[in-house]
Amino acid sequence: MDEIQNRQHVVKQNRPERTMEGDAFSAFAITALRLAGHLTAAGDQLAKPAGQTSARWQVLAAARRGNMSVAQIARALGLARQGVQRLADVLESEGLIAYADNPQHQRAKLVRLTEEGAARLGVIEIAQAGWADGLGAAFTSAELDAARAVMARVMEMLERGETAGG
């Protein structure tokens, strides 16, 4: 028992002090990470009837724009280019996207949605609309806009590699 208390003392002793804002941000970050997991799981369920996953859904939705390369899609989604390339190659082999010549870059092809890809994306988006409406009804649009604004600001700061204090 003494050994456990000594270990706990060392853990508490080595824990850095944070400000109230630092504690609040840490709780926010943990909540955001947990939410991301829940959203991915929900996205997988929404995409499953169309034979897709959340990750594949994101690439299909980006492909609908038709003017983005794999690298641009990866940057927009905040994902590794290699992972998006693997997904895009699978989607292309299944006939859901097609690669097109890029007038601005000889090797970086543009990703385009095929008719079949658009049909699968449509199935997902119909399910997502009902799901979003159902969850959205529990909040005001002002609450959701405020939450989104805070998250967007945090993402911008992290993308720039900055903190408010440094």
Side-chain angles (χ1 to χ4, degrees):
M1 187 69 170
D2 285 340
E3 184 179 336
I4 291 173
Q5 287 178 334
N6 286 339
R7 285 186 196 163
Q8 288 176 342
H9 176 72
V10 169
V11 169
K12 288 179 182 175
Q13 190 177 26
N14 291 332
R15 186 180 304 161
E17 291 292 321
R18 287 191 298 245
T19 63
M20 279 184 9
E21 292 81 3
D23 283 341
F25 183 81
S26 294
F28 167 83
I30 290 167
T31 302
L33 291 169
R34 291 184 62 212
L35 176 60
H38 287 291
L39 290 174
T40 298
D44 286 342
Q45 286 301 309
L46 291 168
K48 190 175 185 176
Q52 303 305 307
T53 64
S54 290
R56 291 164 60 112
W57 173 12
Q58 290 177 33
V59 176
L60 288 172
R64 177 176 33 217
R65 292 186 57 189
N67 61 349
M68 296 174 76
S69 67
V70 166
Q72 290 168 324
I73 291 171
R75 278 192 297 276
L77 297 176
L79 300 172
R81 186 201 56 78
Q82 294 87 343
V84 174
Q85 184 68 64
R86 281 191 294 274
L87 282 172
D89 289 345
V90 170
L91 292 169
E92 193 253 351
S93 73
E94 294 175 1
L96 303 178
I97 66 164
Y99 293 116
D101 287 337
N102 184 346
Q104 297 177 338
H105 195 286
Q106 190 173 8
R107 290 190 340 205
K109 302 289 185 193
L110 298 177
V111 180
R112 301 267 164 93
L113 197 59
T114 64
E115 278 188 43
E116 179 62 23
R120 301 268 187 106
L121 186 57
V123 169
I124 298 168
E125 289 175 334
I126 289 168
Q128 191 275 346
W131 175 81
D133 288 347
L135 281 174
F139 306 92
T140 66
S141 59
E143 287 175 312
L144 294 169
D145 287 344
R148 185 204 45 77
V150 169
M151 293 175 80
R153 202 163 122 208
V154 170
M155 284 189 298
E156 288 170 8
M157 291 174 72
L158 293 173
E159 287 167 357
R160 289 193 304 261
E162 69 181 53
T163 62

